[in-house]
Amino acid sequence: MIDREIEKMGIPVAFISAMTNVGKYVGANRIVTGVKLPHPCGNPDLPDKTDRALRRGIVECALSALQTDVSGPTVFEPQV
């Protein structure tokens, strides 16, 4: 996947997916657990304020993952 190629250039990547097993399978180093397949970074079924908080939590988790040194596929769970 493209994330592995970007990481080879020395740029950390956070792979956000509702299917963490796919991230592990393709060898992504930083896997952030998303919500749903069509909406990994949010849930349109939630009220706007709740969905905004959910999306913010996922993005904050991804930013934290980017700052974390890993030595292989590591799953990060957003605290939302």
Side-chain angles (χ1 to χ4, degrees):
M1 291 202 49
I2 195 166
D3 60 328
R4 287 183 21 207
E5 295 301 316
I6 294 171
E7 291 233 7
K8 284 180 186 177
M9 295 186 305
I11 302 169
V13 174
F15 179 73
I16 301 172
S17 176
M19 298 175 54
T20 56
N21 287 338
V22 172
K24 290 178 185 176
Y25 179 75
V26 299
N29 284 327
R30 294 168 189 84
I31 306 160
V32 178
T33 304
V35 181
K36 297 180 175 183
L37 282 179
H39 306 284
C41 290
N43 184 348
D45 297 331
L46 295 174
D48 287 343
K49 192 172 184 177
T50 307
D51 183 43
R52 191 174 305 117
L54 173 63
R55 288 183 282 136
R56 183 179 183 100
I58 293 169
V59 171
E60 286 176 350
C61 181
L63 291 171
S64 176
L66 291 173
Q67 298 173 32
T68 304
D69 289 328
V70 296
S71 60
T74 305
V75 177
F76 295 85
E77 295 283 339
Q79 300 300 312
V80 288

